[in-house]
Amino acid sequence: MYNKKVMDHFQNPRNAGEMLKPSGVGEVGNMKCGDIMKIFIKVEDGRIEDINFLTFGCGAAIASSSMLTELVKGKTLEEALKITNTDVAENLGGLPDAKLHCSNLAADALHKAIEDYQSNNPSA
Amino acid sequence: MERIYLDHGATTPPHAEVVEAMLPYYRQYFGNPSSVHSFGREARRALDESREKTALALGAAPEEIIFTSGGTEANNLAIQGVIESLSHKGSHMITSAVEHHAVLDTMNKMSQKGCSLTVLPVDRCGMVDPHELKKAIRDDSVLVSIMTANNEIGTIQPVMELAAICREKGVLFHTDAVQAIGNIPLNLKEVPIDFLSLSAHKLYGPKGIGALFIRKGTKLGKLMFGGGQERKLRPGTENLPAIVGLAKAIEMATADIPGKSKAVAALRDRMIEKLLEKIDAIQLNGHPEHRLPGNVNISVKFVEGESLLLDLDLKGVAASSGSACTSGSLEASHVLMACGMDQQTAHGSLRLTLGHGNTAEEVDYTVATLKDSVERLRGMSSLYRDYRRQVEKKRNIGEEKTCTTKK
Ligand SMILES: Cc1ncc(COP(=O)(O)O)c(C=O)c1O
Ligand code: FES
């Protein structure tokens, strides 16, 4: 059902866990199946220095969260905001059609985390 | 890696004797049972013997058995057949909310075509209340279809009582016994069932073959038109190797049911006990007592079922889940929802169905593996963290209600 890359990210997720003092947090829930994804970011000098995720969801949701954190780490906020849902799925080498909505959660949660950071730091 | 098969509710491995019994009918005895010549007569003899064996295993007469392509077709034939044959009497049907889709979707289709349908609710354990059935029967009711045992949560319905109510009220009673045959004793001489569906691949036989029991004297319309096979109710050249396999499988499956069930139930109880002891925030779904000997269905809170299945599969354990994420439609299992479960609990549902080949060591390995998988996935779950924080504040986990326990 899932390709090797997806299974690798599922089995060995990158950056899973909670962040103690995040600069921004974004949480999104999936209306379709009830899954929840939470992204924590640490921003320094306009760059996402660290990122973590917590996900309650299917294999594709976990792999997408993991892939997103890899794509985002070290990027500027501007660059990070350009990351789309399709980027996550493409970097995973594709997902089954029924699972595309799971990868959407990841980018949405990231965008929310960035918004959260920006509202906490209006000057930034 | 050694693999452990815990998905006997999906299908069972065919017995070696069953496969052996089938092979000659792919090779030397390839005749068409309808042919007059010796090749045909050999095949006819095997067909007749298979029907006799199948009937004997159920306490039925050979002429009461119609071979079909499986449980799905048997269910369709019974339901659509009754609607056709009894259209003069009425068109009201009654079923339960936890039926297999082969029953529910057929009933829904019939109701779209103008029949009326009552879907009986179930209690938290998935049980139908016979009083509800009594109340639901009307003058124009023609068929009640309630499964003998549920495929997801293993709940065994009070079929004796339900069938007796229907007999008393003069309504035909069908039961989908696909999961029950070979697991619980059932003698059609003793229970007033009018139609019963079964499927060979759930009782260590081949796939794509099943049967419908039709009690003598009961009229039934048909789904397909063609030759005169199966009393014209199921035309088409018989799948003889599979029929021979079904007969062998059901003969073996119904020999010493109490002995075999006891062994499997012991493994089931061992698994349930260890799971509840070793993993926190889980619950047993289905009925605590009236459940299939091989069925374990639990909800692991704060973990999603598909990810649990994947993790278990990587460690060699094959199971299934009623989570929305495992279904193509992204809807949680209708069975769990009918039992009043909330979406999130249904999300972490896991079905482990044991069979004759499983051992106590496999049960222990599975429990340990499941514990590891649950811990890994909960480590990534925001919901579990929130829950642990709450628990640390005040220890109170879920509510326990009791179920109606019926004999
Ligand atoms: C309760 C029940 N009814 C019907 C079926 C369908 O049987 P078959 O696969 O032989 O069509 C199944 C099997 O999935 C089942 O568990
Ligand atoms: S998160 Fe539910 S299907 Fe992927």
Side-chain angles (χ1 to χ4, degrees):
Chain A
M1 182 165 88
Y2 294 129
N3 67 37
K4 268 196 182 144
K5 193 149 190 190
V6 176
M7 284 311 288
D8 175 44
H9 276 267
F10 170 71
Q11 244 181 308
N12 311 294
R14 334 294 198 244
N15 308 304
E18 199 166 16
M19 189 183 284
L20 280 181
K21 283 186 182 150
S23 335
V25 182
E27 184 173 66
V28 289
N30 191 331
M31 296 311 282
K32 264 191 166 153
C33 56
D35 298 301
I36 299 171
M37 198 179 283
K38 204 167 181 176
I39 298 279
F40 306 85
I41 50 173
K42 183 152 282 160
V43 182
E44 269 164 42
D45 303 330
R47 232 171 242 286
I48 298 180
E49 289 299 324
D50 204 1
I51 177 162
N52 281 118
F53 79 87
L54 286 177
T55 292
F56 165 72
C58 73
I62 291 173
S64 298
S65 318
S66 165
M67 174 50 79
L68 175 91
T69 62
E70 267 202 340
L71 289 176
V72 166
K73 210 167 187 173
K75 293 234 157 61
T76 63
L77 290 179
E78 234 171 44
E79 288 163 339
L81 277 170
K82 283 195 194 121
I83 290 171
T84 65
N85 297 327
T86 11
D87 292 335
V88 176
E90 269 173 19
N91 278 280
L92 282 171
L95 284 169
D97 279 352
K99 295 286 178 181
L100 280 173
H101 73 276
C102 319
S103 61
N104 296 352
L105 281 189
D108 290 350
L110 170 70
H111 291 183
K112 275 205 170 170
I114 294 174
E115 275 169 31
D116 181 47
Y117 164 75
Q118 286 168 338
S119 67
N120 294 340
N121 304 272
S123 56
Chain B
M1 182 176 61
E2 291 249 355
R3 294 185 301 166
I4 301 178
Y5 187 71
L6 292 175
D7 204 9
H8 292 82
T11 196
T12 52
H15 276 308
E17 290 96 320
V18 168
V19 177
E20 281 306 314
M22 292 170 68
L23 289 178
Y25 294 90
Y26 284 114
R27 294 178 176 147
Q28 64 265 45
Y29 306 124
F30 61 85
N32 185 328
S34 300
S35 301
V36 171
H37 47 64
S38 65
F39 293 86
R41 291 198 305 274
E42 285 162 4
R44 167 65 55 185
R45 196 174 316 124
L47 180 62
D48 290 346
E49 279 173 19
S50 298
R51 202 183 307 281
E52 281 159 24
K53 276 188 195 166
T54 306
L56 188 68
L58 298 168
E63 59 274 22
E64 294 176 315
I65 303 297
I66 295 291
F67 293 115
T68 65
S69 64
T72 301
E73 189 190 337
N75 287 337
N76 271 270
L77 181 56
I79 296 164
Q80 300 193 43
V82 168
I83 288 302
E84 192 184 311
S85 65
L86 289 184
S87 57
H88 58 280
K89 186 188 173 212
S91 61
H92 176 236
M93 305 169 297
I94 301 169
T95 190
S96 85
V98 293
E99 298 298 312
H100 190 271
H101 283 297
V103 167
L104 269 184
D105 291 5
T106 308
M107 292 262 185
N108 280 325
K109 185 72 197 173
M110 295 295 103
S111 88
Q112 277 169 22
K113 286 184 167 176
C115 297
S116 48
L117 175 63
T118 303
V119 180
L120 297 176
V122 294
D123 68 13
R124 260 185 78 249
C125 302
M127 278 272 209
V128 170
D129 181 351
H131 292 291
E132 297 273 348
L133 172 62
K134 235 180 215 168
K135 280 193 288 177
I137 294 177
R138 320 190 306 216
D139 288 344
D140 64 338
S141 300
V142 289
L143 181 70
V144 172
S145 178
I146 293 172
M147 67 204 319
T148 314
N150 185 267
N151 45 309
E152 290 187 37
I153 53 175
T155 301
I156 299 170
Q157 301 293 351
V159 164
M160 181 73 204
E161 215 175 321
L162 300 170
I165 290 170
C166 293
R167 181 55 58 90
E168 190 195 310
K169 299 244 183 189
V171 181
L172 294 173
F173 181 73
H174 166 252
T175 191
D176 174 348
V178 166
Q179 292 285 337
I181 302 296
N183 284 319
I184 54 175
L186 187 73
N187 186 340
L188 289 167
K189 282 200 193 86
E190 291 161 8
V191 194
I193 289 168
D194 299 297
F195 307 100
L196 176 143
S197 304
L198 64 90
S199 179
H201 75 100
K202 309 283 186 181
L203 40 93
Y204 305 87
K207 291 164 189 66
I209 191 77
L212 179 66
F213 158 83
I214 306 171
R215 194 170 290 280
K216 211 177 283 177
T218 319
K219 273 226 166 89
L220 197 66
K222 57 186 161 190
L223 298 177
M224 282 192 282
F225 300 84
Q229 293 92 345
E230 301 299 298
R231 290 172 38 216
K232 285 194 163 173
L233 277 171
R234 209 288 180 166
T237 300
E238 301 86 347
N239 183 355
L240 191 57
I243 290 172
V244 168
L246 162 59
K248 183 72 191 167
I250 199 167
E251 186 181 40
M252 293 176 73
T254 51
D256 186 27
I257 291 180
K260 280 184 296 191
S261 295
K262 212 167 148 189
V264 176
L267 293 177
R268 172 198 70 189
D269 295 342
R270 182 190 183 98
M271 182 178 278
I272 292 173
E273 193 179 312
K274 290 196 176 220
L275 286 172
L276 294 175
E277 178 195 311
K278 301 226 151 98
I279 305 175
D280 75 325
I282 67 170
Q283 71 178 46
L284 180 69
N285 302 321
H287 202 284
E289 289 156 46
H290 300 287
R291 77 186 297 136
L292 286 172
N295 180 286
V296 177
N297 189 311
I298 52 167
S299 279
V300 182
K301 303 226 174 131
F302 320 114
V303 176
E304 187 285 315
E306 191 223 79
S307 58
L308 204 48
L309 288 187
L310 284 176
D311 214 54
L312 286 174
D313 185 48
L314 288 167
K315 294 166 184 157
V317 178
S320 78
S321 168
S323 160
C325 301
T326 46
S327 77
S329 62
L330 294 179
E331 271 165 33
S333 140
H334 69 285
V335 174
L336 299 178
M337 300 311 277
C339 295
M341 193 177 283
D342 60 278
Q343 277 274 355
Q344 215 175 74
T345 312
H347 235 70
S349 81
L350 188 70
R351 181 186 74 168
L352 303 141
T353 37
L354 296 141
H356 300 322
N358 294 126
T359 63
E361 290 71 48
E362 289 180 333
V363 167
D364 294 351
Y365 174 83
T366 300
V367 173
T369 303
L370 184 56
K371 186 175 158 65
D372 289 347
S373 293
V374 169
E375 277 168 9
R376 179 174 101 80
L377 294 168
R378 279 183 175 167
M380 285 188 259
S381 162
S382 51
L383 293 174
Y384 186 65
R385 297 196 175 222
D386 297 344
Y387 163 77
R388 288 308 308 176
R389 276 186 205 115
Q390 270 176 23
V391 169
E392 272 151 38
K393 275 187 201 150
K394 53 176 180 179
R395 284 206 67 89
N396 95 44
I397 313 167
E399 77 277 23
E400 273 306 324
K401 278 181 243 151
T402 49
C403 277
T404 47
T405 303
K406 290 204 183 66
K407 265 294 320 148

